[in-house]
Short mmCIF file of all heavy atoms in Angstrom, two decimals:
data_model
loop_
_atom_site.label_atom_id
_atom_site.label_comp_id
_atom_site.label_asym_id
_atom_site.label_seq_id
_atom_site.Cartn_x
_atom_site.Cartn_y
_atom_site.Cartn_z
N HIS A 197 -10.93 17.74 17.67
CA HIS A 197 -10.82 17.89 19.12
C HIS A 197 -12.12 17.40 19.75
O HIS A 197 -13.20 17.59 19.18
CB HIS A 197 -10.59 19.36 19.47
CG HIS A 197 -10.20 19.57 20.89
ND1 HIS A 197 -11.14 19.70 21.91
CD2 HIS A 197 -8.98 19.67 21.49
CE1 HIS A 197 -10.51 19.86 23.06
NE2 HIS A 197 -9.21 19.84 22.84
N PRO A 198 -12.05 16.78 20.94
CA PRO A 198 -13.27 16.27 21.60
C PRO A 198 -14.35 17.32 21.81
O PRO A 198 -15.54 16.99 21.84
CB PRO A 198 -12.73 15.75 22.94
CG PRO A 198 -11.31 15.40 22.68
CD PRO A 198 -10.82 16.41 21.68
N ASP A 199 -13.97 18.59 21.96
CA ASP A 199 -14.98 19.64 22.18
C ASP A 199 -15.93 19.79 20.98
O ASP A 199 -17.01 20.36 21.13
CB ASP A 199 -14.31 20.98 22.48
CG ASP A 199 -13.79 21.06 23.90
OD1 ASP A 199 -14.02 20.11 24.67
OD2 ASP A 199 -13.15 22.07 24.25
N MET A 200 -15.54 19.27 19.83
CA MET A 200 -16.41 19.34 18.65
C MET A 200 -17.67 18.53 18.86
O MET A 200 -18.69 18.79 18.22
CB MET A 200 -15.65 18.88 17.41
CG MET A 200 -14.49 19.79 17.03
SD MET A 200 -13.49 19.15 15.65
CE MET A 200 -14.61 19.43 14.27
N THR A 201 -17.63 17.55 19.76
CA THR A 201 -18.81 16.73 20.04
C THR A 201 -19.71 17.36 21.09
O THR A 201 -20.80 16.86 21.34
CB THR A 201 -18.40 15.32 20.52
OG1 THR A 201 -17.74 15.44 21.79
CG2 THR A 201 -17.46 14.65 19.53
N ILE A 203 -20.84 20.56 21.04
CA ILE A 203 -21.73 21.58 20.49
C ILE A 203 -22.56 20.95 19.38
O ILE A 203 -22.13 20.01 18.72
CB ILE A 203 -20.97 22.82 19.97
CG1 ILE A 203 -20.02 22.44 18.82
CG2 ILE A 203 -20.23 23.51 21.10
CD1 ILE A 203 -19.40 23.64 18.13
N THR A 206 -21.65 20.23 14.47
CA THR A 206 -20.37 20.13 13.78
C THR A 206 -20.44 19.13 12.62
O THR A 206 -19.78 19.33 11.60
CB THR A 206 -19.24 19.73 14.74
OG1 THR A 206 -19.64 18.60 15.52
CG2 THR A 206 -18.88 20.88 15.66
N ALA A 237 -9.64 23.35 12.36
CA ALA A 237 -10.39 24.46 12.96
C ALA A 237 -10.81 24.11 14.38
O ALA A 237 -10.76 24.95 15.29
CB ALA A 237 -11.62 24.78 12.11
N GLY A 238 -11.20 22.85 14.61
CA GLY A 238 -11.56 22.40 15.95
C GLY A 238 -10.38 22.45 16.90
O GLY A 238 -10.52 22.86 18.07
N GLU A 239 -9.21 22.05 16.43
CA GLU A 239 -8.00 22.09 17.27
C GLU A 239 -7.65 23.53 17.65
O GLU A 239 -7.36 23.83 18.81
CB GLU A 239 -6.84 21.45 16.52
CG GLU A 239 -7.00 19.96 16.27
CD GLU A 239 -5.97 19.39 15.32
OE1 GLU A 239 -5.06 20.13 14.89
OE2 GLU A 239 -6.07 18.19 15.00
N LEU A 240 -7.68 24.42 16.66
CA LEU A 240 -7.34 25.82 16.91
C LEU A 240 -8.37 26.48 17.83
O LEU A 240 -8.02 27.28 18.70
CB LEU A 240 -7.25 26.58 15.58
CG LEU A 240 -6.11 26.15 14.65
CD1 LEU A 240 -6.28 26.80 13.28
CD2 LEU A 240 -4.76 26.50 15.25
N ALA A 241 -9.65 26.14 17.62
CA ALA A 241 -10.71 26.70 18.47
C ALA A 241 -10.55 26.26 19.92
O ALA A 241 -10.79 27.03 20.85
CB ALA A 241 -12.07 26.27 17.94
N ALA A 242 -10.13 25.01 20.11
CA ALA A 242 -9.91 24.50 21.48
C ALA A 242 -8.77 25.26 22.15
O ALA A 242 -8.84 25.57 23.35
CB ALA A 242 -9.61 23.01 21.43
N GLU A 243 -7.72 25.57 21.39
CA GLU A 243 -6.60 26.33 21.95
C GLU A 243 -7.06 27.73 22.36
O GLU A 243 -6.70 28.22 23.44
CB GLU A 243 -5.47 26.42 20.91
CG GLU A 243 -4.79 25.09 20.64
CD GLU A 243 -3.81 25.15 19.48
OE1 GLU A 243 -3.59 26.27 18.94
OE2 GLU A 243 -3.27 24.10 19.10
N THR A 245 -10.13 28.66 23.10
CA THR A 245 -11.08 28.53 24.21
C THR A 245 -10.34 28.35 25.53
O THR A 245 -10.69 28.97 26.55
CB THR A 245 -12.02 27.34 23.97
OG1 THR A 245 -12.73 27.55 22.74
CG2 THR A 245 -13.03 27.19 25.11
N GLY A 250 -12.74 29.63 28.56
CA GLY A 250 -14.14 29.60 28.14
C GLY A 250 -14.75 28.22 28.19
O GLY A 250 -14.08 27.21 28.46
N GLY A 251 -16.05 28.18 27.90
CA GLY A 251 -16.80 26.93 27.86
C GLY A 251 -17.28 26.62 26.46
O GLY A 251 -16.66 27.03 25.47
N THR A 252 -18.42 25.92 26.37
CA THR A 252 -18.87 25.43 25.07
C THR A 252 -19.28 26.55 24.11
O THR A 252 -19.05 26.44 22.91
CB THR A 252 -20.05 24.45 25.25
OG1 THR A 252 -21.06 25.07 26.05
CG2 THR A 252 -19.60 23.17 25.91
N MET A 253 -19.89 27.63 24.62
CA MET A 253 -20.26 28.72 23.72
C MET A 253 -19.03 29.45 23.20
O MET A 253 -18.99 29.86 22.03
CB MET A 253 -21.22 29.69 24.41
CG MET A 253 -21.72 30.80 23.47
SD MET A 253 -22.45 30.16 21.92
CE MET A 253 -24.00 29.49 22.55
N THR A 254 -18.02 29.59 24.03
CA THR A 254 -16.76 30.19 23.57
C THR A 254 -16.16 29.33 22.46
O THR A 254 -15.70 29.84 21.43
CB THR A 254 -15.76 30.32 24.73
OG1 THR A 254 -16.34 31.10 25.77
CG2 THR A 254 -14.46 30.98 24.27
N PHE A 255 -16.17 28.00 22.69
CA PHE A 255 -15.65 27.10 21.66
C PHE A 255 -16.44 27.24 20.37
O PHE A 255 -15.85 27.29 19.28
CB PHE A 255 -15.69 25.64 22.15
CG PHE A 255 -15.22 24.66 21.10
CD1 PHE A 255 -13.87 24.44 20.90
CD2 PHE A 255 -16.13 23.99 20.28
CE1 PHE A 255 -13.43 23.56 19.92
CE2 PHE A 255 -15.71 23.12 19.31
CZ PHE A 255 -14.34 22.90 19.12
N HIS A 256 -17.76 27.28 20.46
CA HIS A 256 -18.63 27.42 19.29
C HIS A 256 -18.23 28.65 18.48
O HIS A 256 -18.04 28.59 17.26
CB HIS A 256 -20.09 27.54 19.74
CG HIS A 256 -21.05 27.84 18.64
ND1 HIS A 256 -21.30 29.14 18.22
CD2 HIS A 256 -21.85 27.05 17.88
CE1 HIS A 256 -22.20 29.12 17.25
NE2 HIS A 256 -22.54 27.86 17.03
N ASP A 257 -18.07 29.79 19.16
CA ASP A 257 -17.74 31.03 18.46
C ASP A 257 -16.32 31.00 17.91
O ASP A 257 -16.06 31.47 16.79
CB ASP A 257 -17.92 32.23 19.40
CG ASP A 257 -19.39 32.47 19.75
OD1 ASP A 257 -20.26 31.89 19.08
OD2 ASP A 257 -19.65 33.24 20.69
N CYS A 258 -15.39 30.43 18.68
CA CYS A 258 -14.01 30.32 18.20
C CYS A 258 -13.92 29.40 16.98
O CYS A 258 -13.12 29.64 16.06
CB CYS A 258 -13.10 29.79 19.32
SG CYS A 258 -12.79 30.97 20.64
N PHE A 259 -14.73 28.36 16.98
CA PHE A 259 -14.74 27.43 15.85
C PHE A 259 -15.16 28.15 14.57
O PHE A 259 -14.51 28.02 13.52
CB PHE A 259 -15.69 26.26 16.15
CG PHE A 259 -15.74 25.21 15.09
CD1 PHE A 259 -14.69 24.34 14.90
CD2 PHE A 259 -16.84 25.09 14.26
CE1 PHE A 259 -14.72 23.35 13.91
CE2 PHE A 259 -16.90 24.11 13.27
CZ PHE A 259 -15.83 23.25 13.10
N LEU A 260 -16.23 28.94 14.64
CA LEU A 260 -16.66 29.71 13.48
C LEU A 260 -15.61 30.75 13.10
O LEU A 260 -15.35 30.98 11.91
CB LEU A 260 -18.00 30.37 13.75
CG LEU A 260 -19.23 29.47 13.68
CD1 LEU A 260 -20.49 30.23 14.12
CD2 LEU A 260 -19.44 28.91 12.28
#
Side-chain angles (χ1 to χ4, degrees):
H197 192 274
D199 283 356
M200 295 174 73
T201 66
I203 61 172
T206 49
E239 294 170 4
L240 294 170
E243 291 172 6
T245 301
T252 53
M253 184 53 73
T254 302
F255 177 82
H256 173 275
D257 292 347
C258 289
F259 183 73
L260 283 174

